[in-house]
Amino acid sequence: MITIEQESTRLQYGTFEGDVYVDAENFRLVGGTIDGDLIFASEEYEESAEIDDESTITGEIRVD
């Protein structure tokens, strides 16, 4: 698992195995794969995130 705490963090063109917990605004997933869940700390963080059409998330996307 990784926790994203820096604003405007981008995961790009690779695979992360495990859950990604986002606790910051403007998270971006560009052409990458998350082999796990994508979890946002708030709805505000989820709304500010961008996930492009080339990206894949094998688990669920949710707000905790």
Side-chain angles (χ1 to χ4, degrees):
M1 179 178 177
I2 187 171
T3 300
I4 306 296
E5 296 178 321
Q6 182 69 36
E7 286 187 22
S8 302
T9 297
R10 177 172 53 187
L11 295 180
Q12 181 174 331
Y13 299 112
T15 300
F16 182 82
E17 293 188 16
D19 296 339
V20 175
Y21 185 81
V22 179
D23 194 11
E25 292 185 336
N26 300 317
F27 171 75
R28 298 198 180 2
L29 182 60
V30 180
T33 299
I34 295 173
D35 191 9
D37 295 339
L38 178 57
I39 307 159
F40 293 93
S42 71
E43 288 184 21
E44 177 184 346
Y45 296 153
E46 181 182 32
E47 291 170 3
S48 71
E50 290 185 26
I51 302 168
D52 74 357
D53 293 336
E54 296 178 20
S55 297
T56 304
I57 300 165
T58 63
E60 65 178 313
I61 301 172
R62 69 178 193 268
V63 177
D64 274 356

Short mmCIF file of all heavy atoms in Angstrom, two decimals:
data_model
loop_
_atom_site.label_atom_id
_atom_site.label_comp_id
_atom_site.label_asym_id
_atom_site.label_seq_id
_atom_site.Cartn_x
_atom_site.Cartn_y
_atom_site.Cartn_z
N MET A 1 0.84 -1.18 0.00
CA MET A 1 0.00 0.00 0.00
C MET A 1 0.89 1.24 0.00
O MET A 1 1.97 1.24 0.57
CB MET A 1 -0.89 0.01 1.24
CG MET A 1 -1.79 1.23 1.31
SD MET A 1 -2.85 1.14 2.76
CE MET A 1 -3.66 2.69 2.60
N ILE A 2 0.38 2.27 -0.69
CA ILE A 2 1.08 3.55 -0.69
C ILE A 2 0.05 4.63 -0.37
O ILE A 2 -1.11 4.52 -0.74
CB ILE A 2 1.75 3.83 -2.05
CG1 ILE A 2 2.61 5.09 -1.98
CG2 ILE A 2 0.73 3.94 -3.15
CD1 ILE A 2 3.47 5.31 -3.21
N THR A 3 0.49 5.64 0.37
CA THR A 3 -0.36 6.79 0.68
C THR A 3 0.19 8.00 -0.05
O THR A 3 1.37 8.34 0.10
CB THR A 3 -0.39 7.06 2.20
OG1 THR A 3 -0.91 5.91 2.86
CG2 THR A 3 -1.27 8.26 2.51
N ILE A 4 -0.66 8.66 -0.83
CA ILE A 4 -0.30 9.86 -1.57
C ILE A 4 -0.70 11.06 -0.72
O ILE A 4 -1.89 11.26 -0.45
CB ILE A 4 -1.03 9.92 -2.94
CG1 ILE A 4 -0.78 8.64 -3.75
CG2 ILE A 4 -0.66 11.19 -3.69
CD1 ILE A 4 0.63 8.41 -4.16
N GLU A 5 0.28 11.85 -0.28
CA GLU A 5 0.01 13.01 0.56
C GLU A 5 0.44 14.32 -0.08
O GLU A 5 0.18 15.38 0.45
CB GLU A 5 0.71 12.86 1.91
CG GLU A 5 0.17 11.68 2.71
CD GLU A 5 0.87 11.49 4.03
OE1 GLU A 5 2.12 11.65 4.07
OE2 GLU A 5 0.19 11.16 5.01
N GLN A 6 1.10 14.26 -1.22
CA GLN A 6 1.58 15.45 -1.93
C GLN A 6 0.60 15.82 -3.03
O GLN A 6 0.23 14.97 -3.85
CB GLN A 6 2.96 15.17 -2.53
CG GLN A 6 3.58 16.33 -3.24
CD GLN A 6 3.97 17.45 -2.30
OE1 GLN A 6 4.39 17.20 -1.18
NE2 GLN A 6 3.82 18.67 -2.73
N GLU A 7 0.16 17.08 -3.07
CA GLU A 7 -0.75 17.53 -4.12
C GLU A 7 -0.13 17.33 -5.50
O GLU A 7 1.08 17.45 -5.66
CB GLU A 7 -1.09 19.01 -3.93
CG GLU A 7 -2.03 19.25 -2.79
CD GLU A 7 -2.50 20.69 -2.72
OE1 GLU A 7 -2.44 21.41 -3.74
OE2 GLU A 7 -2.91 21.10 -1.62
N SER A 8 -0.99 17.05 -6.46
CA SER A 8 -0.61 16.91 -7.87
C SER A 8 0.35 15.76 -8.14
O SER A 8 1.13 15.80 -9.08
CB SER A 8 -0.04 18.22 -8.41
OG SER A 8 -0.99 19.26 -8.27
N THR A 9 0.29 14.72 -7.33
CA THR A 9 1.11 13.52 -7.57
C THR A 9 0.56 12.78 -8.78
O THR A 9 -0.65 12.67 -8.96
CB THR A 9 1.10 12.60 -6.34
OG1 THR A 9 1.70 13.29 -5.25
CG2 THR A 9 1.85 11.31 -6.61
N ARG A 10 1.48 12.26 -9.60
CA ARG A 10 1.08 11.54 -10.81
C ARG A 10 1.78 10.19 -10.85
O ARG A 10 3.00 10.11 -10.72
CB ARG A 10 1.47 12.36 -12.04
CG ARG A 10 1.15 11.66 -13.33
CD ARG A 10 1.35 12.54 -14.53
NE ARG A 10 2.67 13.12 -14.56
CZ ARG A 10 3.05 14.04 -15.43
NH1 ARG A 10 2.21 14.47 -16.35
NH2 ARG A 10 4.27 14.52 -15.40
N LEU A 11 0.99 9.13 -11.03
CA LEU A 11 1.52 7.80 -11.33
C LEU A 11 1.36 7.63 -12.82
O LEU A 11 0.28 7.80 -13.36
CB LEU A 11 0.76 6.71 -10.58
CG LEU A 11 0.84 6.71 -9.07
CD1 LEU A 11 0.02 5.55 -8.50
CD2 LEU A 11 2.28 6.61 -8.59
N GLN A 12 2.47 7.27 -13.49
CA GLN A 12 2.46 7.29 -14.95
C GLN A 12 3.13 6.06 -15.53
O GLN A 12 4.24 5.71 -15.14
CB GLN A 12 3.20 8.56 -15.39
CG GLN A 12 3.27 8.77 -16.86
CD GLN A 12 3.89 10.13 -17.19
OE1 GLN A 12 3.79 11.06 -16.43
NE2 GLN A 12 4.53 10.21 -18.31
N TYR A 13 2.45 5.41 -16.47
CA TYR A 13 3.00 4.33 -17.31
C TYR A 13 3.76 3.27 -16.54
O TYR A 13 4.91 2.97 -16.83
CB TYR A 13 3.88 4.91 -18.41
CG TYR A 13 3.12 5.84 -19.32
CD1 TYR A 13 3.39 7.20 -19.34
CD2 TYR A 13 2.10 5.36 -20.13
CE1 TYR A 13 2.67 8.06 -20.15
CE2 TYR A 13 1.39 6.21 -20.95
CZ TYR A 13 1.68 7.56 -20.96
OH TYR A 13 0.96 8.40 -21.76
N GLY A 14 3.12 2.70 -15.58
CA GLY A 14 3.71 1.61 -14.84
C GLY A 14 2.63 0.89 -14.07
O GLY A 14 1.45 1.23 -14.16
N THR A 15 3.02 -0.12 -13.30
CA THR A 15 2.08 -0.88 -12.50
C THR A 15 2.46 -0.77 -11.04
O THR A 15 3.62 -1.00 -10.67
CB THR A 15 2.06 -2.37 -12.91
OG1 THR A 15 1.68 -2.45 -14.29
CG2 THR A 15 1.09 -3.17 -12.06
N PHE A 16 1.49 -0.40 -10.21
CA PHE A 16 1.67 -0.42 -8.77
C PHE A 16 0.85 -1.57 -8.23
O PHE A 16 -0.36 -1.64 -8.46
CB PHE A 16 1.23 0.89 -8.11
CG PHE A 16 1.46 0.89 -6.63
CD1 PHE A 16 2.71 1.18 -6.13
CD2 PHE A 16 0.46 0.53 -5.75
CE1 PHE A 16 2.96 1.13 -4.76
CE2 PHE A 16 0.69 0.48 -4.39
CZ PHE A 16 1.94 0.79 -3.89
N GLU A 17 1.50 -2.50 -7.53
CA GLU A 17 0.81 -3.66 -6.96
C GLU A 17 0.50 -3.37 -5.51
O GLU A 17 1.40 -3.29 -4.68
CB GLU A 17 1.66 -4.90 -7.11
CG GLU A 17 1.83 -5.32 -8.56
CD GLU A 17 2.50 -6.66 -8.72
OE1 GLU A 17 2.58 -7.41 -7.75
OE2 GLU A 17 2.94 -6.93 -9.84
N GLY A 18 -0.78 -3.17 -5.24
CA GLY A 18 -1.24 -2.86 -3.89
C GLY A 18 -2.25 -1.73 -3.95
O GLY A 18 -2.53 -1.17 -5.01
N ASP A 19 -2.80 -1.38 -2.81
CA ASP A 19 -3.78 -0.31 -2.74
C ASP A 19 -3.10 1.05 -2.74
O ASP A 19 -2.00 1.21 -2.21
CB ASP A 19 -4.63 -0.44 -1.48
CG ASP A 19 -5.47 -1.72 -1.45
OD1 ASP A 19 -5.71 -2.28 -2.54
OD2 ASP A 19 -5.89 -2.12 -0.35
N VAL A 20 -3.79 2.04 -3.34
CA VAL A 20 -3.30 3.41 -3.36
C VAL A 20 -4.31 4.24 -2.58
O VAL A 20 -5.50 4.28 -2.92
CB VAL A 20 -3.15 3.95 -4.80
CG1 VAL A 20 -2.76 5.42 -4.78
CG2 VAL A 20 -2.12 3.13 -5.56
N TYR A 21 -3.85 4.87 -1.49
CA TYR A 21 -4.69 5.72 -0.65
C TYR A 21 -4.32 7.17 -0.93
O TYR A 21 -3.17 7.56 -0.75
CB TYR A 21 -4.46 5.37 0.83
CG TYR A 21 -5.38 6.11 1.77
CD1 TYR A 21 -6.67 5.67 1.98
CD2 TYR A 21 -4.95 7.25 2.44
CE1 TYR A 21 -7.53 6.34 2.84
CE2 TYR A 21 -5.79 7.93 3.30
CZ TYR A 21 -7.08 7.47 3.50
OH TYR A 21 -7.92 8.14 4.34
N VAL A 22 -5.29 7.96 -1.39
CA VAL A 22 -5.03 9.34 -1.80
C VAL A 22 -5.56 10.29 -0.73
O VAL A 22 -6.76 10.34 -0.46
CB VAL A 22 -5.67 9.66 -3.16
CG1 VAL A 22 -5.42 11.10 -3.56
CG2 VAL A 22 -5.14 8.70 -4.22
N ASP A 23 -4.63 11.05 -0.13
CA ASP A 23 -4.95 12.02 0.91
C ASP A 23 -4.44 13.40 0.48
O ASP A 23 -3.77 14.10 1.24
CB ASP A 23 -4.32 11.58 2.23
CG ASP A 23 -4.87 12.34 3.43
OD1 ASP A 23 -5.88 13.06 3.27
OD2 ASP A 23 -4.29 12.22 4.53
N ALA A 24 -4.72 13.75 -0.80
CA ALA A 24 -4.27 15.03 -1.37
C ALA A 24 -5.09 15.32 -2.62
O ALA A 24 -5.66 14.42 -3.23
CB ALA A 24 -2.79 14.97 -1.71
N GLU A 25 -5.09 16.59 -3.02
CA GLU A 25 -5.83 16.99 -4.21
C GLU A 25 -5.03 16.75 -5.49
O GLU A 25 -3.80 16.68 -5.46
CB GLU A 25 -6.19 18.47 -4.13
CG GLU A 25 -7.21 18.78 -3.05
CD GLU A 25 -7.64 20.23 -3.07
OE1 GLU A 25 -6.88 21.09 -3.55
OE2 GLU A 25 -8.74 20.50 -2.58
N ASN A 26 -5.75 16.66 -6.60
CA ASN A 26 -5.20 16.62 -7.95
C ASN A 26 -4.33 15.40 -8.24
O ASN A 26 -3.34 15.50 -8.98
CB ASN A 26 -4.43 17.91 -8.26
CG ASN A 26 -5.32 19.12 -8.15
OD1 ASN A 26 -6.45 19.12 -8.62
ND2 ASN A 26 -4.81 20.17 -7.51
N PHE A 27 -4.69 14.24 -7.70
CA PHE A 27 -4.00 13.00 -8.04
C PHE A 27 -4.27 12.67 -9.50
O PHE A 27 -5.37 12.87 -10.02
CB PHE A 27 -4.51 11.86 -7.16
CG PHE A 27 -4.02 10.51 -7.57
CD1 PHE A 27 -2.72 10.13 -7.31
CD2 PHE A 27 -4.85 9.62 -8.23
CE1 PHE A 27 -2.25 8.87 -7.71
CE2 PHE A 27 -4.41 8.37 -8.62
CZ PHE A 27 -3.10 8.00 -8.36
N ARG A 28 -3.24 12.15 -10.21
CA ARG A 28 -3.40 11.79 -11.62
C ARG A 28 -2.83 10.39 -11.86
O ARG A 28 -1.75 10.07 -11.39
CB ARG A 28 -2.67 12.78 -12.51
CG ARG A 28 -3.26 14.16 -12.36
CD ARG A 28 -2.92 15.09 -13.46
NE ARG A 28 -3.43 16.44 -13.42
CZ ARG A 28 -4.16 17.06 -12.54
NH1 ARG A 28 -4.56 16.42 -11.49
NH2 ARG A 28 -4.55 18.31 -12.65
N LEU A 29 -3.59 9.61 -12.62
CA LEU A 29 -3.13 8.30 -13.08
C LEU A 29 -3.12 8.36 -14.60
O LEU A 29 -4.15 8.52 -15.23
CB LEU A 29 -4.06 7.19 -12.58
CG LEU A 29 -3.67 5.76 -12.95
CD1 LEU A 29 -2.30 5.40 -12.39
CD2 LEU A 29 -4.72 4.78 -12.45
N VAL A 30 -1.92 8.25 -15.17
CA VAL A 30 -1.73 8.43 -16.61
C VAL A 30 -1.14 7.15 -17.19
O VAL A 30 0.01 6.82 -16.94
CB VAL A 30 -0.79 9.63 -16.90
CG1 VAL A 30 -0.60 9.79 -18.40
CG2 VAL A 30 -1.32 10.90 -16.27
N GLY A 31 -1.95 6.41 -17.95
CA GLY A 31 -1.46 5.22 -18.64
C GLY A 31 -0.93 4.15 -17.72
O GLY A 31 -0.15 3.30 -18.14
N GLY A 32 -1.33 4.17 -16.48
CA GLY A 32 -0.79 3.23 -15.51
C GLY A 32 -1.82 2.22 -15.04
O GLY A 32 -3.00 2.29 -15.38
N THR A 33 -1.35 1.29 -14.22
CA THR A 33 -2.21 0.26 -13.66
C THR A 33 -2.03 0.24 -12.15
O THR A 33 -0.91 0.26 -11.66
CB THR A 33 -1.86 -1.13 -14.22
OG1 THR A 33 -2.06 -1.11 -15.64
CG2 THR A 33 -2.72 -2.22 -13.61
N ILE A 34 -3.15 0.21 -11.44
CA ILE A 34 -3.14 -0.04 -10.01
C ILE A 34 -3.73 -1.43 -9.82
O ILE A 34 -4.90 -1.66 -10.14
CB ILE A 34 -3.96 1.01 -9.23
CG1 ILE A 34 -3.31 2.38 -9.38
CG2 ILE A 34 -4.07 0.61 -7.75
CD1 ILE A 34 -4.12 3.51 -8.78
N ASP A 35 -2.89 -2.37 -9.38
CA ASP A 35 -3.34 -3.73 -9.14
C ASP A 35 -3.80 -3.83 -7.69
O ASP A 35 -3.12 -4.36 -6.82
CB ASP A 35 -2.19 -4.71 -9.42
CG ASP A 35 -2.66 -6.15 -9.45
OD1 ASP A 35 -3.88 -6.38 -9.40
OD2 ASP A 35 -1.80 -7.04 -9.50
N GLY A 36 -4.96 -3.21 -7.45
CA GLY A 36 -5.52 -3.11 -6.10
C GLY A 36 -6.61 -2.06 -6.12
O GLY A 36 -7.12 -1.69 -7.18
N ASP A 37 -6.94 -1.54 -4.94
CA ASP A 37 -7.99 -0.53 -4.82
C ASP A 37 -7.39 0.87 -4.87
O ASP A 37 -6.24 1.09 -4.49
CB ASP A 37 -8.73 -0.68 -3.49
CG ASP A 37 -9.50 -1.99 -3.39
OD1 ASP A 37 -9.80 -2.59 -4.44
OD2 ASP A 37 -9.81 -2.40 -2.25
N LEU A 38 -8.21 1.82 -5.31
CA LEU A 38 -7.88 3.24 -5.27
C LEU A 38 -8.84 3.86 -4.26
O LEU A 38 -10.06 3.87 -4.48
CB LEU A 38 -8.03 3.88 -6.64
CG LEU A 38 -7.77 5.38 -6.74
CD1 LEU A 38 -6.38 5.75 -6.23
CD2 LEU A 38 -7.96 5.86 -8.17
N ILE A 39 -8.29 4.36 -3.15
CA ILE A 39 -9.09 4.81 -2.02
C ILE A 39 -8.80 6.30 -1.78
O ILE A 39 -7.63 6.69 -1.64
CB ILE A 39 -8.76 4.01 -0.76
CG1 ILE A 39 -8.88 2.51 -1.04
CG2 ILE A 39 -9.64 4.44 0.41
CD1 ILE A 39 -8.11 1.63 -0.08
N PHE A 40 -9.84 7.10 -1.74
CA PHE A 40 -9.69 8.53 -1.49
C PHE A 40 -10.11 8.84 -0.06
O PHE A 40 -11.10 8.31 0.44
CB PHE A 40 -10.55 9.33 -2.48
CG PHE A 40 -10.08 9.22 -3.89
CD1 PHE A 40 -10.60 8.27 -4.75
CD2 PHE A 40 -9.10 10.08 -4.37
CE1 PHE A 40 -10.16 8.17 -6.06
CE2 PHE A 40 -8.65 9.98 -5.68
CZ PHE A 40 -9.18 9.03 -6.52
N ALA A 41 -9.39 9.77 0.57
CA ALA A 41 -9.69 10.17 1.95
C ALA A 41 -10.95 11.02 2.03
O ALA A 41 -11.58 11.09 3.08
CB ALA A 41 -8.51 10.93 2.55
N SER A 42 -11.33 11.68 0.92
CA SER A 42 -12.54 12.51 0.92
C SER A 42 -13.10 12.59 -0.49
O SER A 42 -12.40 12.31 -1.47
CB SER A 42 -12.22 13.92 1.42
OG SER A 42 -11.47 14.63 0.46
N GLU A 43 -14.36 13.00 -0.58
CA GLU A 43 -14.99 13.18 -1.89
C GLU A 43 -14.31 14.31 -2.66
O GLU A 43 -14.21 14.26 -3.88
CB GLU A 43 -16.48 13.46 -1.73
CG GLU A 43 -17.26 12.25 -1.30
CD GLU A 43 -18.75 12.49 -1.22
OE1 GLU A 43 -19.25 13.44 -1.86
OE2 GLU A 43 -19.42 11.72 -0.52
N GLU A 44 -13.84 15.31 -1.95
CA GLU A 44 -13.12 16.42 -2.59
C GLU A 44 -11.89 15.91 -3.33
O GLU A 44 -11.61 16.33 -4.46
CB GLU A 44 -12.70 17.44 -1.52
CG GLU A 44 -11.89 18.59 -2.03
CD GLU A 44 -11.42 19.51 -0.92
OE1 GLU A 44 -11.93 19.44 0.21
OE2 GLU A 44 -10.49 20.30 -1.19
N TYR A 45 -11.15 15.01 -2.73
CA TYR A 45 -9.96 14.45 -3.37
C TYR A 45 -10.33 13.60 -4.58
O TYR A 45 -9.66 13.62 -5.61
CB TYR A 45 -9.13 13.64 -2.39
CG TYR A 45 -8.57 14.44 -1.25
CD1 TYR A 45 -8.29 13.86 -0.03
CD2 TYR A 45 -8.31 15.80 -1.37
CE1 TYR A 45 -7.76 14.58 1.03
CE2 TYR A 45 -7.79 16.54 -0.33
CZ TYR A 45 -7.52 15.92 0.88
OH TYR A 45 -7.00 16.65 1.92
N GLU A 46 -11.43 12.85 -4.45
CA GLU A 46 -11.88 12.03 -5.58
C GLU A 46 -12.29 12.91 -6.75
O GLU A 46 -11.96 12.63 -7.90
CB GLU A 46 -13.04 11.14 -5.16
CG GLU A 46 -13.53 10.24 -6.29
CD GLU A 46 -14.72 9.38 -5.90
OE1 GLU A 46 -15.53 9.82 -5.07
OE2 GLU A 46 -14.82 8.27 -6.44
N GLU A 47 -13.01 13.99 -6.48
CA GLU A 47 -13.48 14.88 -7.53
C GLU A 47 -12.35 15.61 -8.23
O GLU A 47 -12.45 15.93 -9.41
CB GLU A 47 -14.48 15.89 -6.95
CG GLU A 47 -15.79 15.25 -6.55
CD GLU A 47 -16.71 16.17 -5.77
OE1 GLU A 47 -16.35 17.37 -5.59
OE2 GLU A 47 -17.77 15.71 -5.34
N SER A 48 -11.25 15.87 -7.53
CA SER A 48 -10.13 16.59 -8.14
C SER A 48 -9.19 15.65 -8.91
O SER A 48 -8.31 16.11 -9.63
CB SER A 48 -9.34 17.35 -7.08
OG SER A 48 -8.61 16.47 -6.24
N ALA A 49 -9.36 14.34 -8.76
CA ALA A 49 -8.48 13.37 -9.40
C ALA A 49 -8.80 13.22 -10.89
O ALA A 49 -9.92 13.44 -11.32
CB ALA A 49 -8.60 12.01 -8.72
N GLU A 50 -7.77 12.84 -11.66
CA GLU A 50 -7.93 12.54 -13.08
C GLU A 50 -7.33 11.18 -13.37
O GLU A 50 -6.17 10.93 -13.07
CB GLU A 50 -7.25 13.60 -13.94
CG GLU A 50 -7.93 14.95 -13.90
CD GLU A 50 -7.29 15.94 -14.84
OE1 GLU A 50 -6.68 15.53 -15.85
OE2 GLU A 50 -7.38 17.14 -14.55
N ILE A 51 -8.14 10.33 -13.98
CA ILE A 51 -7.71 9.00 -14.39
C ILE A 51 -7.99 8.89 -15.88
O ILE A 51 -9.14 8.95 -16.29
CB ILE A 51 -8.46 7.90 -13.60
CG1 ILE A 51 -8.22 8.09 -12.11
CG2 ILE A 51 -8.03 6.52 -14.07
CD1 ILE A 51 -9.12 7.28 -11.22
N ASP A 52 -6.93 8.75 -16.68
CA ASP A 52 -7.15 8.74 -18.13
C ASP A 52 -7.69 7.39 -18.60
O ASP A 52 -7.73 6.41 -17.86
CB ASP A 52 -5.89 9.15 -18.88
CG ASP A 52 -4.81 8.07 -18.91
OD1 ASP A 52 -4.99 7.00 -18.30
OD2 ASP A 52 -3.79 8.30 -19.54
N ASP A 53 -8.14 7.36 -19.85
CA ASP A 53 -8.79 6.18 -20.42
C ASP A 53 -7.84 5.00 -20.61
O ASP A 53 -8.28 3.87 -20.75
CB ASP A 53 -9.43 6.52 -21.77
CG ASP A 53 -10.60 7.48 -21.61
OD1 ASP A 53 -11.19 7.53 -20.52
OD2 ASP A 53 -10.92 8.18 -22.58
N GLU A 54 -6.53 5.24 -20.63
CA GLU A 54 -5.56 4.17 -20.82
C GLU A 54 -5.21 3.48 -19.51
O GLU A 54 -4.53 2.46 -19.51
CB GLU A 54 -4.28 4.74 -21.43
CG GLU A 54 -4.46 5.32 -22.81
CD GLU A 54 -3.17 5.91 -23.36
OE1 GLU A 54 -2.08 5.57 -22.85
OE2 GLU A 54 -3.26 6.74 -24.26
N SER A 55 -5.66 4.02 -18.39
CA SER A 55 -5.32 3.47 -17.07
C SER A 55 -6.28 2.37 -16.66
O SER A 55 -7.43 2.33 -17.09
CB SER A 55 -5.35 4.59 -16.04
OG SER A 55 -4.38 5.56 -16.34
N THR A 56 -5.78 1.48 -15.80
CA THR A 56 -6.56 0.35 -15.31
C THR A 56 -6.45 0.26 -13.80
O THR A 56 -5.35 0.41 -13.25
CB THR A 56 -6.03 -0.97 -15.92
OG1 THR A 56 -6.06 -0.86 -17.34
CG2 THR A 56 -6.86 -2.15 -15.47
N ILE A 57 -7.58 0.01 -13.15
CA ILE A 57 -7.62 -0.25 -11.71
C ILE A 57 -8.33 -1.58 -11.54
O ILE A 57 -9.49 -1.71 -11.92
CB ILE A 57 -8.34 0.89 -10.96
CG1 ILE A 57 -7.61 2.20 -11.21
CG2 ILE A 57 -8.43 0.57 -9.47
CD1 ILE A 57 -8.37 3.43 -10.84
N THR A 58 -7.63 -2.57 -10.99
CA THR A 58 -8.20 -3.91 -10.91
C THR A 58 -9.19 -4.05 -9.75
O THR A 58 -10.06 -4.91 -9.80
CB THR A 58 -7.12 -4.99 -10.77
OG1 THR A 58 -6.40 -4.78 -9.54
CG2 THR A 58 -6.16 -4.96 -11.95
N GLY A 59 -9.04 -3.24 -8.73
CA GLY A 59 -9.95 -3.29 -7.58
C GLY A 59 -11.03 -2.24 -7.71
O GLY A 59 -11.42 -1.83 -8.80
N GLU A 60 -11.51 -1.78 -6.57
CA GLU A 60 -12.58 -0.79 -6.58
C GLU A 60 -12.03 0.60 -6.32
O GLU A 60 -10.93 0.77 -5.79
CB GLU A 60 -13.64 -1.14 -5.53
CG GLU A 60 -13.16 -1.10 -4.10
CD GLU A 60 -14.28 -1.42 -3.11
OE1 GLU A 60 -15.38 -0.86 -3.24
OE2 GLU A 60 -14.01 -2.21 -2.20
N ILE A 61 -12.82 1.60 -6.71
CA ILE A 61 -12.53 3.00 -6.43
C ILE A 61 -13.55 3.43 -5.40
O ILE A 61 -14.75 3.29 -5.63
CB ILE A 61 -12.63 3.87 -7.69
CG1 ILE A 61 -11.65 3.39 -8.76
CG2 ILE A 61 -12.39 5.33 -7.35
CD1 ILE A 61 -11.83 4.06 -10.09
N ARG A 62 -13.07 3.94 -4.26
CA ARG A 62 -14.01 4.31 -3.20
C ARG A 62 -13.47 5.47 -2.35
O ARG A 62 -12.30 5.80 -2.41
CB ARG A 62 -14.34 3.12 -2.33
CG ARG A 62 -13.19 2.64 -1.48
CD ARG A 62 -13.61 1.46 -0.60
NE ARG A 62 -12.66 1.16 0.43
CZ ARG A 62 -11.66 0.29 0.31
NH1 ARG A 62 -11.50 -0.37 -0.81
NH2 ARG A 62 -10.84 0.09 1.32
N VAL A 63 -14.39 6.03 -1.57
CA VAL A 63 -14.04 7.08 -0.61
C VAL A 63 -14.21 6.50 0.79
O VAL A 63 -15.25 5.91 1.09
CB VAL A 63 -14.95 8.32 -0.79
CG1 VAL A 63 -14.64 9.37 0.27
CG2 VAL A 63 -14.79 8.91 -2.18
N ASP A 64 -13.20 6.64 1.62
CA ASP A 64 -13.28 6.18 3.01
C ASP A 64 -13.40 7.34 3.94
O ASP A 64 -12.86 8.37 3.78
CB ASP A 64 -12.06 5.36 3.40
CG ASP A 64 -12.21 3.90 3.02
OD1 ASP A 64 -13.27 3.51 2.53
OD2 ASP A 64 -11.24 3.16 3.22
#
